[in-house]
Amino acid sequence: MQIFVSIPEVKARVQEAKSGGRSIGFVPTMGFLHEGHLSLVRASVRDAGFTVVSIFVNPAQFAPHEDFEDYPRDMERDLDFLRAEGVDVVFTPPRDAVYPADYHTYVEVHGLQERLCGNSRPQFFRGVCTVVLKLFHIIEPDVAFFGQKDAQQSAIIRRMVKDLGLDVRIEVCPIVRDSDGLALSSRNAYFNVDQREAALCLSRSLDLARAKITAGERNTGRIISIIRDEIEAEPQAKIDYVEIVDADELLPKDKVEEGDLIALAVYIDHIRLIDNLII
Ligand code: PAF
């Protein structure tokens, strides 16, 4: 596995692999890898001839009051994981290579970026799209892998790729959960034992919603109430949003249909978690 920090050097290595006829799979990450990331890496190693993983904690997707400085980082551990998965290249650029001091250009996907998480994190998707587009230009992957856990992010990236006519296939891989249902997230590292237990109300509420829908319920208002009641029963939890939307435009639905997205964001004390379910 080769590790690059320089943009020209990683570009040259990837171009060499391309000219050798290998298809390029790309997994962008912010590091502190867990099984969720590794499921994307495995999909890439399976699907593509050459896998590139980026590790870059992207300052543009954090608001000044958010956890950019404290975001968990462990480069050595991440590199060990990636080596074991058979990754070809890790790209971990310094901040000023991605955002030089005179940087001015940002990418926005209007409409989609304002919904769901965009309400409480207005800067977030602008930062995500900007860095992902920059990374796509550097790596020029044939296929890029994202997690369903970040359902809105995946929908926005798909839209950016379509709108800008980018020549990359987007693959969205299923959510990976701990055995008790908690969706894996780098931010789970912040939890103490009580908070982690409280966080299970998210997946429990989605399980209740799934059971209700399987039993025939289609009214989104009633399904949302079931989810809210379950989360509100947990004293440490505070709901940011619970919504049922279509999976492409992310617009609210009255009646739930196959393919729709139930998305929620909940604070457990000060730690903000997201989870979702595709019907
Ligand atoms: O999902 C993430 O980890 C980040 O939002 C991404 C896609 C790596 C962009 O910084």
Side-chain angles (χ1 to χ4, degrees), residues 28-30 37 56 58 61 71 124 128 131-132 146 150 153:
T29 81
M30 298 208 299
H37 298 110
F56 178 68
N58 174 32
Q61 68 192 69
Y71 193 82
F124 180 69
V128 169
V131 82
V132 168
F146 293 86
D150 302 304
Q153 170 171 283

Side-chain angles (χ1 to χ4, degrees), residues 55 102 145 183 231:
I55 299 179
D102 59 348
F145 297 83
I231 296 171

Side-chain angles (χ1 to χ4, degrees), residues 77-239:
R77 176 175 159 276
D78 289 348
L79 294 177
D80 285 347
F81 283 150
L82 296 176
R83 229 173 256 120
E85 297 298 337
V87 166
D88 297 286
V89 159
V90 174
F91 176 47
T92 177
R95 179 178 178 153
D96 61 357
V98 180
Y99 300 111
D102 59 348
Y103 191 82
H104 285 292
T105 305
Y106 291 88
V107 184
E108 303 203 18
V109 179
H110 289 289
L112 274 69
Q113 71 176 11
E114 284 96 36
R115 298 180 189 134
L116 305 177
C117 290
N119 278 310
S120 56
R121 304 188 74 191
Q123 76 303 322
F124 180 69
F125 293 110
R126 171 188 194 257
V128 169
C129 287
T130 301
V131 82
V132 168
L133 185 62
K134 289 203 74 161
L135 292 166
F136 281 179
H137 281 315
I138 295 166
I139 306 299
E140 295 186 52
D142 296 289
V143 53
F145 297 83
F146 293 86
Q148 179 59 41
K149 159 87 176 357
D150 302 304
Q152 184 174 12
Q153 170 171 283
S154 301
I156 289 178
I157 300 288
R158 277 194 273 118
R159 180 53 59 92
M160 175 182 81
V161 165
K162 181 166 180 270
D163 287 354
L164 298 181
L166 304 179
D167 200 7
V168 53
R169 176 161 59 90
I170 302 299
E171 284 290 331
V172 180
C173 301
I175 297 177
V176 179
R177 298 180 182 279
D178 270 338
S179 54
D180 57 8
L182 185 67
L184 298 191
S185 160
S186 302
R187 289 192 171 96
N188 292 356
Y190 296 144
F191 286 140
N192 63 30
V193 175
D194 280 355
Q195 290 165 333
R196 198 191 169 293
E197 185 62 30
L200 294 177
C201 69
L202 278 82
S203 56
R204 229 173 23 237
S205 74
L206 290 173
D207 287 345
L208 288 174
R210 185 194 286 109
K212 210 63 192 165
I213 293 165
T214 306
E217 182 64 85
R218 292 292 175 266
N219 180 295
T220 54
R222 283 197 288 271
I223 299 165
I224 287 172
S225 295
I226 288 164
I227 295 172
R228 295 191 77 98
D229 288 350
E230 181 65 25
I231 296 171
E232 282 163 1
E234 169 49 60
Q236 294 186 74
K238 187 167 153 291
I239 293 175

Side-chain angles (χ1 to χ4, degrees), residues 57-68:
V57 184
N58 174 32
Q61 68 192 69
F62 291 80
H65 66 277
E66 290 181 344
D67 55 347
F68 173 72

